[in-house]
Amino acid sequence: MLVHIVEVQPRGGHRLFLRFDDGSEGVVDIAEVIPFEGVFTALRDQATFEQVHVDLQWGTICWPNNLDLAPEPLHDRI
């Protein structure tokens, strides 16, 4: 199923509140989804992690340097 993220809010640590276009919402610990290695190493830094925002065109969450995560695996964790 194609879903899009429409809202994101940092919730401390590496947790994010996510709301999807199908009405589902919840908190996901991103540290359980991705290793903070390689291109994602920068997200270990809390200030960088909290720069997360929604790319409304693609319906996903993004960070500086074009880091993004697909919404479907995040939706599955809600």
Side-chain angles (χ1 to χ4, degrees), residues 5 14 21 31 40-41 43 51 53 57 63-64 66 70-71 74:
I5 299 170
H14 288 102
D21 63 354
F40 292 107
T41 300
L43 298 183
Q51 292 180 44
H53 61 278
Q57 179 180 358
W63 289 271
N66 297 319
L74 300 172

Side-chain angles (χ1 to χ4, degrees), residues 2-76:
L2 284 177
V3 293
H4 292 99
I5 299 170
V6 296
E7 181 182 354
V8 62
Q9 298 173 12
R11 290 290 171 95
H14 288 102
R15 298 176 322 124
L16 297 174
F17 168 81
L18 301 171
R19 180 175 290 129
F20 294 85
D21 63 354
D22 68 354
S24 61
E25 60 185 45
V27 176
V28 175
D29 187 342
I30 300 301
E32 295 176 358
V33 178
I34 60 168
F36 294 112
E37 301 171 345
V39 297
F40 292 107
T41 300
L43 298 183
R44 290 181 189 170
D45 176 68
Q46 193 66 40
T48 302
F49 185 80
E50 291 181 0
Q51 292 180 44
V52 65
H53 61 278
V54 176
D55 180 324
L56 293 174
Q57 179 180 358
W58 298 104
T60 190
I61 54 174
C62 303
W63 289 271
N65 298 323
N66 297 319
L67 296 177
D68 67 350
L69 292 177
E72 292 83 10
L74 300 172
H75 187 268
D76 290 345

